[in-house]
Amino acid sequence: MAGDEYGSPPRPRRKTRPIVALGVLGFLGLVTALFLIGVPGGSTPSLGPKNYRTSVDCQVNTVGSRGTVTISGTITGDAARYSVTVEVLDSASQQRIGVQTFEVRGTTTFGGTTEAQAPIGSAGIECKITKVA
């Protein structure tokens, strides 16, 4: 009976369960890997926005049609480091005349000097923080 063609047909193998099990394990592995990548230093997750307070002040120094802008600011919050982008605008035209990004680590203050990229009008300048990461 082992070799006859009239016996019962062979049972189909059940492949669905191992495929589903491998898919679930792969998904869990991916989620675990993404979670570990998002953990700086392996200690705490970096989920959600950073909470912070900022202030910025700018002063302009012009010589003829050229000028430099001195930026000084502070940032306090719950993170150990920030990347702060400050934009300098001409007050009258609202044209951007300078932009600078500061990497703030281990302190609450940031500052520096940047060249004005356009002539500064008589109304002066404005500084604003455009991005904090």
Side-chain angles (χ1 to χ4, degrees):
M1 294 234 344
D4 89 21
E5 298 176 19
Y6 301 105
S8 62
R11 280 184 97 168
R13 294 188 177 192
R14 299 189 186 248
K15 296 180 183 177
T16 311
R17 286 185 185 172
I19 291 173
V20 169
L22 286 174
V24 169
L25 287 175
F27 176 74
L28 290 175
L30 177 66
V31 168
T32 302
L34 291 175
F35 177 75
L36 291 176
I37 289 171
V39 179
S43 60
T44 57
S46 62
L47 301 174
K50 297 177 182 178
N51 294 317
Y52 58 86
R53 281 199 317 238
T54 61
S55 67
V56 66
D57 183 46
C58 293
Q59 295 182 357
V60 65
N61 182 14
T62 57
V63 176
S65 63
R66 301 183 62 85
T68 58
V69 179
T70 303
I71 302 168
S72 60
T74 61
I75 185 166
T76 57
D78 59 1
R81 64 182 193 162
Y82 295 94
S83 177
V84 181
T85 302
V86 178
E87 189 174 68
V88 182
L89 305 170
D90 179 78
S91 291
S93 67
Q94 292 298 302
Q95 177 185 2
R96 182 169 77 181
I97 59 173
V99 64
Q100 189 164 5
T101 300
F102 301 95
E103 298 299 323
V104 184
R105 293 186 178 117
T107 184
T108 59
T109 61
F110 58 91
T113 303
T114 185
E115 284 191 43
Q117 300 167 352
I120 299 168
S122 60
I125 61 169
E126 295 176 23
C127 287
K128 65 179 182 178
I129 297 173
T130 57
K131 182 178 177 185
V132 175

